[in-house]
Amino acid sequence: MVGRAHKPTALAATPGLAPQPTVTFSPDNTSVTAELPTGESVSVLLYGATVTSWKDSSGDEKLWLSTAAKLDGTKAVRGGIPLVFPVFGPPPSAPHPTANLPQHGFARTSVWEFLGKSTSESTPAEGAKAADDLSVKLDFGLSAASLSAETQKLWPFKFNLIYSVTLNPSTLTTSLVVTNDDDKPFDSQVLLHTYLRVNDISSVSIQGLSNSPYLDKLLSPQAQTSGPSDLTITQETDHVYSTPNGASDPVTVLENGKPRFVVTRDNLAQVVVWNPWTEKAAGMGDFEPKGGYKNMLCVEPGAVGTWQTLEPGDAFEGAQTISIAN
Ligand SMILES: O=P(O)(O)OC[C@H]1O[C@H](O)[C@H](O)[C@@H](O)[C@@H]1O
């Protein structure tokens, strides 16, 4: 059973002002959708605070979501933007404190609370703000107290997560703040597991990672190597790039040589590039259509190269902004 939104409200345009963003809930209150007056929209499922849809003003979907994705809270969502915390991938062995957690941790399989929305509304001093300047931000929260007793036992730390999803006419920003509310330090990793929608993977190239060494997760033992100058995807790919300038270099996804998405990062020094290709897609029960790997590319900004150690009271913030380039 999926949790309900906290104090759901439908927020419509205010009479007398320029049209404002709207925020509405699904009939069962398990998902919230924000729409700008210019027509762009974003939908977030409270389960995992998973962004499941991001559309431009013509209704064109920018994220890939499996048609077999479970949206009922029984399994992490296959597609959109699942949120990875506090461990990326399979956890390390005991005695590491994440050892008993499932792959990619519990944030993507926990029910988050909707904390509210804010908009960049115009003030009387500014005059009516141009519709294409408007943005809307949705905030979601998760803390140790809202986890099941079982999950609390698997990772026994007091923490607070605030996840903000901000929609602009041409960008989507997702940002996570992790706060240590415990009286002892904890280690964690964070990753924004973004499934970008592409027309045809065979015409896709990726720029911005050519100077970044990467770990190839498909090699055994996993080997550190360097990327080609223009990355193309022609087979199963699972690379963890560590960008040498931290998070300052944008990553551009091109189709037929034309930029399609530009991903900028704040404080997230790794970028995972993942495509399951034919066999892996065939083996995933929730990956449909099976040929869907041709229409997706995961570009996943994260802080997963090492552990972020947070002392009591300290916070870590990481964010991505995805811009539509054409
Ligand atoms: O199947 P999931 O647990 O959602 O993981 C899907 C993929 O996530 C990341 O991209 C990892 O690098 C991959 O190794 C993993 O296969």
Side-chain angles (χ1 to χ4, degrees):
M1 150 95 183
V2 173
R4 310 270 151 188
H6 179 63
K7 292 190 186 159
T9 44
L11 302 151
T14 313
L17 280 181
Q20 298 297 313
T22 58
V23 176
T24 52
F25 289 84
S26 60
D28 61 1
N29 284 330
T30 59
S31 172
V32 55
T33 295
E35 188 172 345
L36 295 176
T38 38
E40 298 81 5
S41 66
V42 65
S43 297
V44 184
L45 196 64
L46 293 183
Y47 180 73
T50 314
V51 177
T52 54
S53 168
W54 170 34
K55 289 181 182 163
D56 69 14
S57 59
S58 61
D60 193 28
E61 180 61 59
K62 302 298 169 196
L63 300 176
W64 185 85
L65 179 67
S66 165
T67 56
K70 298 282 185 207
L71 303 177
D72 60 357
T74 56
K75 189 178 193 312
V77 176
R78 178 68 62 202
I81 313 180
L83 196 47
V84 170
F85 174 88
V87 61
F88 167 66
S93 335
H96 197 273
T98 61
N100 295 321
L101 290 175
Q103 157 132 321
H104 295 339
F106 53 74
R108 65 176 182 166
T109 52
S110 297
V111 178
W112 291 58
E113 182 181 6
F114 177 61
L115 301 176
K117 64 111 195 184
S118 43
T119 57
S120 63
E121 291 172 18
S122 56
T123 62
E126 288 175 320
K129 197 155 191 160
D132 58 5
D133 275 353
L134 280 175
S135 67
V136 58
K137 177 161 80 79
L138 305 174
D139 290 324
F140 301 86
L142 183 74
S143 62
S146 44
L147 299 181
S148 66
E150 192 192 333
T151 308
Q152 283 186 41
K153 260 189 242 149
L154 296 180
W155 198 69
F157 296 99
K158 292 201 181 74
F159 66 91
N160 186 55
L161 303 181
I162 303 284
Y163 187 49
S164 302
V165 176
T166 306
L167 177 68
N168 256 285
S170 59
T171 63
L172 183 73
T173 299
T174 75
S175 144
L176 184 69
V177 180
V178 180
T179 307
N180 182 346
D181 281 345
D182 215 314
D183 55 10
K184 52 189 178 297
F186 64 68
D187 284 351
S188 69
Q189 297 177 326
V190 162
L191 177 122
L192 308 170
H193 198 309
T194 310
Y195 289 70
L196 297 173
R197 173 173 281 278
V198 297
N199 292 322
D200 179 1
I201 193 72
S202 69
S203 53
V204 166
S205 58
I206 303 159
Q207 283 177 349
L209 296 172
S210 53
N211 297 321
S212 305
Y214 67 87
L215 198 65
D216 190 333
K217 290 179 74 178
L218 301 176
L219 295 179
S220 183
Q222 294 183 358
Q224 191 82 25
T225 175
S226 289
S229 54
D230 243 12
L231 179 68
T232 53
I233 310 288
T234 55
Q235 58 188 339
E236 183 184 352
T237 303
D238 195 354
H239 294 170
V240 184
Y241 292 86
S242 283
T243 51
N245 301 326
S248 58
D249 295 332
V251 177
T252 303
V253 176
L254 304 94
E255 278 211 79
N256 295 313
K258 276 180 60 186
R260 188 170 159 82
F261 298 105
V262 180
V263 182
T264 54
R265 295 164 288 132
D266 182 12
N267 213 18
L268 300 175
Q270 278 71 45
V271 178
V272 179
V273 173
W274 180 63
N275 184 293
W277 213 250
T278 328
E279 273 178 40
K280 190 63 94 35
M284 286 188 279
D286 62 350
F287 195 104
E288 291 286 352
K290 290 302 173 201
Y293 72 89
K294 295 177 193 151
N295 302 118
M296 50 92 30
L297 176 67
C298 282
V299 175
E300 313 162 25
V304 299
T306 177
W307 295 95
Q308 315 299 318
T309 304
L310 284 182
E311 297 297 326
D314 279 0
F316 169 86
E317 178 166 11
Q320 66 170 349
T321 293
I322 314 166
S323 308
I324 302 170
N326 59 356

